[in-house]
């Protein structure tokens, strides 16, 4: 309700000093009647003082000013706007809860000159703001524009009664027009305060015009949205009505209400299913939503699928572990030959499980070349422990959602492969094989290896959270086994969560045993020859291993043996043979021209040709190194498709030889007048690594001194510029390659003596393995010398200056 303007000024009993009432989130304009609820002690005291000191016209006067921040409970003078409205207290009504309801009327604008000292409430000295009386054609046009815009605003805003439009239309005074309209606009506090502080009515109308235009634009957009939503709701209601009609017709025809039956089935499953408390509450909540939905709606299908996934998961279903260590060892040995360390680790786990009763599942990572039995070993572990077996291939996976699943907001969302596999297994403690974990990659869809960090951490995986389920699932009972060919492709944090067990390639005796025990019976049965007497000799098997396969595992060997049996099957059907013995010649006849040649020792001692040892993913190989000297300008030429590390090893070897040229009896002019060429044959095959350092150094010394290298000596080791021989990796594979090639003596770094226990005893017995610490020791063993003990030695005068550095040389 609005009252007419009172031009007559009220005489105040205390002159220009009045109490101040701070307001929260409201601005009172002149000619505006507002009910207020006052609860703060200071504010109530200010009202009581105003009522106690009424003016001559019996009206209580108070200044109404807004707080800058509504949340401030105990404002100071700085927290209150200094521009407000002088108001009259029309009515004061105390309420039972101690608060006061007051009806105030805004009279005129006023500024606070200063705050008077008063602890009970705010007492301020005010100064009236005179309204400027302006008359012009422009102002008249502005008044009309504001009238028309307000009319449009009222039509859009249903909260303002139409009678208000008639009341505003009768106001011609610009100042009063602005103050009347602004009271009905939903403006921010600062915008209203700015309008209150604008003294010029013309400027006030301009601001008001802009603000109303903005409000009208917002209201128009809201109207469009309401219209669109209304149409959609009408469509949905129509569909719901038709569905209900269809269900009623089905009932009349005697058909079953499938949807209700489905809900009843879910309720029955929920009663009988043991799940986590969180999962049970989630299913109940989703079931409640499902009852409210139309069975034909897309959302109902999504909810049904979600409930099915939760109920079908093995929350507490688990298989009983077979904790008999002796029986488990028998099963592992029955399925696999060798692989001592992985078998020991599984038996240790079972033994501890038997004692502790509850143990977090281990996270093992089998690392080794292809075909050595990593995947089949995981199957054997599941069989030995009596657990279900689940395999998840991670080769080529580059989407994090493959592990964690998609959010339910996406169309066609599903849980990750981890949860899917557990549902398939039907137990929460299977042996879970994460195959080819080193073949994962990363792109814009996320990093799956990072998602596996939580899965493979025993401290975290007891509450694994899949994006689709959005529930904590316990993975701590799962025995995770990962397989990889190499470690360098697996991120460091992921490696840290796994117990790495390296599986080396099989030796020749191991391959023979595997072929006899597993491959030959398997292929004989697979080719329909199990009832016939067919013998493959050891010579034939060795020929297949050496000349038709080049691998660390036995996959190719299995294929070649299968090829032999297929040829035999054809011969039997063609010629009617029954008993067959396959020897070396027969095997070569069946398999055709040999595909590989394996390295063999040199037939005679030669200058500049040294037999080195190399490691590949397929096992060990011998690597011949050649060096030759020719007239030139002192260049070192290195060929053979060598990597950076191997090229640096050659340069280090050359620097070492040049530094000890006098002791080796090499004329220094040779380094200026001759070029030296170091070559590693089979130039199409990339080669890299530091372990050929001693081989290159020996080849260089032999070529420069014209001293022959022993044909039955092979070597491996990294060298330093001071001539120390540093340790290398892959000693077992390299030693086996030397034995296979007919080498008699193998020179290895002294620091690798600890690795000799990994080499089979039979191989060690047939080789002379010499640990060396310095290159001089290598040369004395490898070169054909008349007095090996004197080669490269210094005189007493030469030893003195280098004694200190030699003592400080790194190990």
């Amino acid at each position: 309700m609005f009252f007419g303007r009172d031009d007559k000024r009220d005489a105040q009993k205390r002159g220009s000093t009045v109490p101040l009432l701070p307001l929260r989130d409201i601005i009172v304009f002149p000619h505006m009647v507002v009910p207020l609820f006052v609860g703060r002690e200071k504010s109530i005291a200010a009202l009581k003082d105003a009522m106690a000191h009424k003016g001559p016209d019996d009206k209580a006067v108070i200044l109404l000013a807004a707080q800058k921040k509504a949340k401030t409970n105990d404002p100071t003078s700085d927290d209150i706007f200094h521009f407000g409205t002088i108001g009259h207290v029309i009515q004061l009504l105390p309420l039972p809860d101690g608060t006061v309801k007051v009806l105030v009327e805004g009279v005129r604008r006023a500024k606070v000159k200063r705050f008077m000292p008063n602890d009970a409430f705010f007492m301020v000295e005010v100064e009236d703001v005179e309204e400027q009386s302006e008359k012009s054609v422009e102002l008249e046009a502005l008044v009309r524009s504001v009238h028309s815009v307000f009319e449009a605003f009222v039509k859009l805003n249903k909260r303002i009664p139409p009678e208000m439009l008639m009341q505003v239309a009768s106001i011609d005074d610009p100042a009063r027009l602005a103050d009347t309209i602004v009271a009905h606009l939903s403006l921010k506090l600062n915008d209203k305060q700015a309008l209150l502080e604008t003294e010029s009515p013309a400027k006030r109308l301009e601001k008001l015009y802009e603000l109303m235009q903005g409000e009208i634009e917002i209201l128009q957009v809201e109207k469009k949205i309401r219209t669109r939503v209304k149409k959609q709701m009408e469509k949905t209601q129509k569909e719901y009505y038709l569905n209900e009609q269809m269900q009623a017709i089905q009932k009349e025809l005697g058909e079953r209400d499938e949807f209700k039956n489905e809900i009843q089935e879910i309720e029955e499953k929920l009663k009988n299913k043991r799940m986590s408390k969180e999962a049970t509450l989630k299913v109940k909540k989703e079931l409640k939503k499902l009852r409210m939905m139309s069975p034909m709606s897309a959302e109902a299908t999504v909810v049904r699928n979600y409930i099915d996934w939760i109920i079908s998961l093995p929350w507490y279903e688990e298989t009983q572990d077979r904790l008999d260590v002796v029986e488990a060892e028998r099963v592992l040995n029955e399925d696999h030959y060798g692989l001592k360390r992985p078998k020991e680790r599984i038996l240790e786990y079972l033994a501890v499980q038997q004692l502790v009763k509850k143990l977090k599942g281990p996270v093992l990572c089998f690392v080794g070349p292809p075909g050595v039995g990593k995947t089949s070993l995981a199957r054997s572990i599941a069989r030995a422990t009596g657990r279900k077996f689940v395999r998840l291939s991670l080769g080529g996976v580059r989407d994090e959602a493959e592990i964690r699943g998609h959010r339910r907001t996406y169309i066609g969302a599903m849980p990750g492969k981890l949860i899917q596999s557990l549902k398939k297994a039907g137990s929460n403690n299977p042996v879970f094989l994460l195959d080819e974990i080193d073949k994962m990659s990363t792109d814009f869809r996320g990093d799956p290896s990072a998602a596996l960090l939580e899965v493979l951490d025993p401290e975290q995986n007891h509450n694994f959270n899949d994006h689709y389920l959005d529930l904590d699932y316990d993975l701590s009972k799962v025995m995770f086994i990962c397989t990889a060919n190499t470690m360098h492709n697996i991120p460091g944090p992921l490696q840290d969560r796994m117990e790495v067990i390296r599986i080396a390639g099989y030796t020749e005796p191991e391959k023979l045993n595997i072929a006899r025990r597993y491959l030959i019976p398997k292929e004989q049965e697979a080719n329909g020859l199990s009832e016939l007497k067919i013998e493959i000799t050891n010579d034939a098997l060795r020929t297949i291993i050496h000349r038709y396969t080049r691998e660390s595992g036995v996959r190719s060997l299995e294929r070649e043996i299968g090829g032999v049996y297929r040829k035999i099957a054809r011969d039997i059907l063609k010629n009617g043979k029954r008993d067959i013995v396959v020897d070396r010649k027969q095997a070569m006849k069946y398999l055709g021209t040999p595909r590989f040649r394996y390295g063999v020792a040199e037939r005679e001692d030669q200058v500049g040709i040294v037999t080195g040892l190399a490691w590949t993913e397929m096992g060990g190989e011998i690597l011949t190194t050649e060096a030759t000297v020719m007239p030139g300008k002192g260049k070192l030429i290195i060929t053979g498709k060598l990597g950076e590390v191997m090229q640096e090893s050659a340069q280090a070897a050359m620097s070492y030889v040049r530094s000890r040229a006098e002791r080796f009896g090499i004329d220094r002019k040779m380094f200026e007048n001759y070029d030296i060429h170091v070559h590693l044959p089979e130039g199409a095959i990339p080669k890299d690594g530091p372990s050929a350092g001693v081989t290159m150094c020996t080849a260089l010394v032999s070529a420069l001194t014209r001293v022959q290298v022993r044909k039955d000596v092979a070597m491996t080791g990294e060298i330093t510029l001071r001539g120390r021989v540093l340790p290398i990796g892959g000693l077992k594979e390299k030693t086996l390659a030397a034995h296979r090639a007919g080498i008699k003596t193998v020179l290895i770094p002294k620091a690798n003596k600890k690795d000799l226990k990994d080499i089979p005893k039979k191989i060690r017995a047939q080789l002379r393995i010499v640990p060396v610490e310095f290159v001089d020791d290598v040369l004395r063993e490898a070169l054909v010398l008349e007095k090996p003990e004197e080669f490269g030695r210094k005189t007493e005068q030469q030893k003195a200056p280098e004694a200190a550095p030699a003592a400080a040389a790194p190990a």
Side-chain angles (χ1 to χ4, degrees):
M1 182 177 178
F2 292 86
F3 292 85
R5 183 175 181 182
D6 187 5
D7 294 325
K8 186 171 62 176
R9 302 299 181 206
D10 295 305
Q12 296 179 10
K13 188 175 180 181
R14 291 168 292 176
S16 61
T17 304
V18 294
L20 182 143
L21 180 64
L23 306 176
R24 299 181 197 245
D25 270 339
I26 188 171
I27 304 286
V28 177
F29 286 86
H31 322 294
M32 184 176 172
V33 177
V34 184
L36 301 173
F37 290 90
V38 181
R40 290 183 285 193
E41 290 182 8
K42 276 190 174 184
S43 300
I44 294 171
L47 287 168
K48 287 180 178 178
D49 184 80
M51 294 298 288
H53 300 87
K54 292 183 179 180
D57 52 359
D58 198 31
K59 289 185 178 180
V61 181
I62 194 164
L63 180 67
L64 305 166
Q67 291 181 194
K68 294 177 181 177
K69 291 183 180 177
K71 292 182 180 178
T72 307
N73 286 323
D74 191 12
T76 62
S77 57
D78 294 332
D79 297 325
I80 301 169
F81 288 110
H82 288 201
F83 203 110
T85 304
I86 292 289
H88 288 162
V89 180
I90 299 172
Q91 187 181 19
L92 189 71
L93 180 64
L95 298 175
D97 61 354
T99 60
V100 173
K101 181 180 179 182
V102 61
L103 192 67
V104 295
E105 177 189 6
V107 179
R108 61 185 178 274
R109 285 172 169 75
K111 288 182 186 175
V112 176
K113 290 175 70 177
R114 66 190 179 95
F115 280 79
M116 308 296 288
N118 191 343
D119 293 333
F121 55 87
F122 291 110
M123 181 67 78
V124 291
E125 185 181 339
V126 297
E127 175 188 2
D128 288 351
V129 177
E130 295 293 334
E131 297 284 3
Q132 300 174 8
S133 57
E134 304 174 18
K135 283 190 178 181
S136 66
V137 177
E138 186 178 346
L139 185 60
E140 181 65 26
L142 190 58
V143 168
R144 291 184 183 181
S145 298
V146 169
H147 273 126
S148 64
V149 170
F150 184 70
E151 185 179 348
F153 177 75
V154 171
K155 288 179 181 177
L156 289 169
N157 193 338
K158 302 299 181 185
R159 286 174 293 183
I160 300 176
E163 297 83 19
M164 192 66 221
L165 188 62
M166 296 175 63
Q167 186 177 342
V168 170
S170 63
I171 301 173
D172 294 328
D173 181 24
R176 185 169 178 180
L177 178 65
D179 292 341
T180 304
I181 290 175
V182 74
H184 294 88
L185 299 183
S186 302
L187 301 178
K188 293 179 182 176
L189 186 74
N190 288 335
D191 290 337
K192 285 190 174 183
Q193 183 68 27
L195 284 168
L196 183 68
E197 293 180 6
T198 305
E199 297 179 12
S200 169
K203 289 183 179 177
R204 207 181 305 157
L205 284 173
E206 282 181 13
K207 282 186 181 178
L208 189 62
Y209 183 82
E210 289 177 11
L211 291 168
M212 277 199 294
Q213 286 285 17
E215 286 291 314
I216 286 171
E217 287 182 12
I218 293 169
L219 289 169
Q220 285 173 342
V221 173
E222 285 181 355
K223 186 178 179 182
K224 286 180 182 177
I225 292 170
R226 280 199 304 271
T227 306
R228 191 163 63 240
V229 170
K230 186 180 178 184
K231 286 181 179 177
Q232 186 64 36
M233 286 178 66
E234 286 173 354
K235 182 182 176 183
T236 306
Q237 286 173 345
K238 183 181 177 183
E239 288 177 356
Y240 176 74
Y241 177 70
L242 291 172
N243 281 324
E244 288 295 320
Q245 278 188 327
M246 194 159 61
Q247 286 183 17
I249 292 167
Q250 286 175 348
K251 282 182 181 178
E252 288 297 321
L253 292 171
E255 294 182 9
R256 295 173 64 200
D257 189 351
E258 295 292 338
F259 185 60
K260 287 187 178 178
N261 288 337
E262 192 175 351
I263 290 176
Q264 286 175 358
E265 284 178 14
I266 293 171
E267 288 173 342
E268 285 297 319
K269 286 181 183 177
L270 186 60
K271 286 179 185 176
N272 301 324
K273 179 74 173 181
R274 187 178 170 219
M275 299 189 296
S276 68
K277 186 177 179 181
E278 184 188 12
T280 305
L281 290 173
K282 192 80 171 178
V283 170
K284 287 180 179 177
K285 186 178 176 183
E286 294 294 322
L287 201 56
K288 189 177 179 182
K289 283 199 298 186
L290 187 62
R291 288 195 192 97
M292 307 290 290
M293 292 178 185
S294 164
M296 305 300 290
S297 67
E299 183 66 21
T301 307
V302 171
V303 173
R304 280 201 296 266
N305 286 341
Y306 180 67
I307 292 172
D308 284 343
W309 270 109
I310 295 177
I311 291 179
S312 61
L313 284 176
W315 292 91
Y316 293 102
E317 294 89 342
E318 60 183 70
T319 53
Q320 190 67 35
D321 281 349
R322 187 188 298 136
L323 300 177
D324 187 344
V325 177
V326 177
E327 175 63 16
E329 187 174 9
R330 186 195 67 76
V331 170
L332 291 172
N333 289 331
E334 182 182 309
D335 288 352
H336 287 83
Y337 181 83
L339 304 178
K340 183 180 177 183
R341 189 167 167 227
K343 291 177 181 176
E344 283 181 353
R345 180 63 185 87
I346 299 307
L347 296 174
E348 288 166 8
Y349 168 73
L350 292 176
V352 175
Q353 180 89 331
Q354 193 169 355
L355 295 172
V356 176
K357 302 300 181 188
K358 187 177 181 182
L359 186 67
K360 289 178 180 175
V363 180
L364 307 179
C365 183
F366 297 153
V367 180
V372 294
K374 300 185 292 295
T375 304
S376 59
L377 180 60
R379 290 183 187 275
S380 295
I381 291 168
R383 193 162 79 91
T385 56
R387 294 189 177 199
K388 299 284 184 70
F389 177 75
V390 184
R391 176 179 171 271
L392 174 59
S393 179
L394 297 174
V397 171
R398 57 182 63 207
D399 188 354
E400 182 203 353
E402 293 283 333
I403 308 297
R404 281 192 170 276
H406 295 85
R407 302 273 180 202
R408 276 198 292 157
T409 50
Y410 296 105
I411 295 171
M414 288 185 72
K417 290 287 179 64
L418 213 68
I419 295 295
Q420 291 181 39
S421 301
L422 286 170
K423 177 188 173 184
K424 190 189 298 182
S427 75
N428 68 348
N429 67 334
V431 173
F432 203 122
L433 176 64
L434 298 171
D435 215 359
E436 309 292 353
I437 199 169
D438 57 330
K439 305 297 189 301
M440 287 188 297
S441 54
T442 305
D443 67 1
F444 64 93
R445 288 169 288 190
D447 185 357
S449 63
L452 281 175
L453 292 177
E454 181 186 1
V455 175
L456 299 181
D457 192 340
E459 299 299 325
Q460 298 179 35
N461 63 10
H462 60 276
N463 54 2
F464 171 71
N465 196 293
D466 186 271
H467 287 159
Y468 179 81
L469 296 180
D470 198 22
L471 296 168
D472 289 341
Y473 190 88
D474 186 3
L475 295 176
S476 61
K477 295 180 181 178
V478 178
M479 182 187 288
F480 285 104
I481 297 177
C482 309
T483 69
N485 295 132
T486 56
M487 287 294 292
H488 62 267
N489 288 332
I490 306 174
L494 196 56
Q495 291 185 31
D496 186 53
R497 283 162 168 78
M498 302 185 292
E499 181 180 342
V500 177
I501 297 176
R502 296 189 179 274
I503 301 177
Y506 291 119
T507 63
E508 183 185 308
E510 286 174 336
K511 286 184 179 180
L512 283 171
N513 270 293
I514 291 168
R516 285 267 170 240
R517 293 188 185 188
Y518 307 104
L519 305 183
I520 288 176
K522 180 182 175 184
E523 289 301 322
Q524 192 165 342
E525 184 179 352
N527 289 283
L529 303 171
S530 54
E531 296 179 1
L532 302 178
K533 187 179 179 182
I534 300 170
E535 182 186 351
I536 300 178
T537 65
N538 283 344
D539 280 346
L541 284 174
R542 286 194 188 95
T543 301
I544 296 171
I545 292 167
H546 293 161
R547 306 302 300 276
Y548 294 92
T549 66
R550 177 174 283 180
E551 58 176 350
S552 291
V554 290
R555 277 207 189 106
S556 295
L557 178 59
E558 183 178 358
R559 279 194 294 270
E560 297 303 327
I561 291 172
V564 170
Y565 275 110
R566 286 193 296 275
K567 297 288 193 301
I568 292 171
R570 191 185 70 177
D571 282 354
I572 287 173
L573 291 175
K574 187 177 179 181
N575 303 321
K577 290 182 181 178
R578 288 295 169 186
D579 296 341
I580 296 175
V581 177
V582 180
D583 57 10
R584 180 174 175 274
K585 288 184 179 179
Q586 195 69 21
M588 293 182 72
K589 177 186 173 185
Y590 284 145
L591 297 176
T593 306
R595 286 189 286 279
F596 302 105
R597 66 175 184 86
Y598 65 95
V600 293
E602 297 292 330
R603 294 183 180 179
E604 56 186 20
D605 301 338
Q606 297 183 61
V607 172
I609 297 181
V610 184
T611 303
L613 298 173
W615 178 92
T616 69
E617 288 188 359
M618 302 302 175
E621 291 288 340
I622 68 166
L623 191 66
T624 303
T625 303
E626 301 175 344
T628 187
V629 179
M630 67 201 99
K633 297 181 179 179
K635 286 195 299 181
L636 175 63
I637 304 164
I638 308 167
T639 56
K641 202 170 185 183
L642 310 184
E644 288 184 12
V645 177
M646 193 169 269
Q647 291 185 33
E648 289 171 0
S649 292
Q651 291 166 358
M654 186 63 189
S655 298
Y656 174 73
V657 172
R658 291 185 68 173
S659 68
R660 294 180 61 88
E662 293 179 6
R663 294 170 218 162
F664 294 147
I666 302 170
D667 188 353
R668 291 196 175 275
K669 290 183 179 179
M670 290 193 73
F671 298 112
E672 299 171 5
N673 301 327
Y674 289 87
D675 291 342
I676 302 170
H677 189 160
V678 178
H679 177 67
L680 279 77
E682 298 188 36
I685 301 172
K687 310 169 191 72
D688 204 2
S691 60
V694 291
T695 313
M696 294 190 202
C697 185
T698 306
L700 288 170
V701 173
S702 172
L704 290 166
T705 58
R706 308 304 297 169
V707 176
Q708 293 178 340
V709 182
R710 296 184 186 278
K711 63 178 181 296
D712 59 350
V713 174
M715 61 190 71
T716 180
E718 182 181 355
I719 68 164
T720 69
L721 290 176
R722 298 187 177 191
R724 283 190 177 274
V725 181
L726 301 182
I728 45 81
L731 183 66
K732 178 185 175 183
E733 289 82 358
K734 292 177 179 179
T735 312
L736 294 174
H739 176 263
R740 188 168 60 238
I743 299 292
K744 302 299 182 188
T745 303
V746 179
L747 309 181
I748 67 168
K750 194 172 184 180
N752 282 108
K753 279 181 72 176
K754 64 183 187 303
D755 301 320
L756 290 175
K757 65 178 184 296
D758 296 332
I759 301 169
K761 289 182 181 178
K762 289 182 180 179
I763 305 296
R764 273 186 284 167
Q766 295 174 29
L767 287 175
R768 177 172 168 259
I769 300 174
V770 183
V772 292
E773 192 172 2
F774 296 97
V775 174
D776 289 1
D777 303 330
V778 175
L779 297 175
R780 292 188 194 106
E781 288 286 345
L783 299 180
V784 181
L785 301 169
E786 293 181 5
K787 296 181 178 180
E789 66 280 356
E790 294 181 4
F791 184 76
R793 287 194 172 176
K794 297 173 275 189
T795 63
E796 292 301 320
Q797 293 176 348
Q798 290 173 322
K799 284 183 182 178
E802 292 196 17

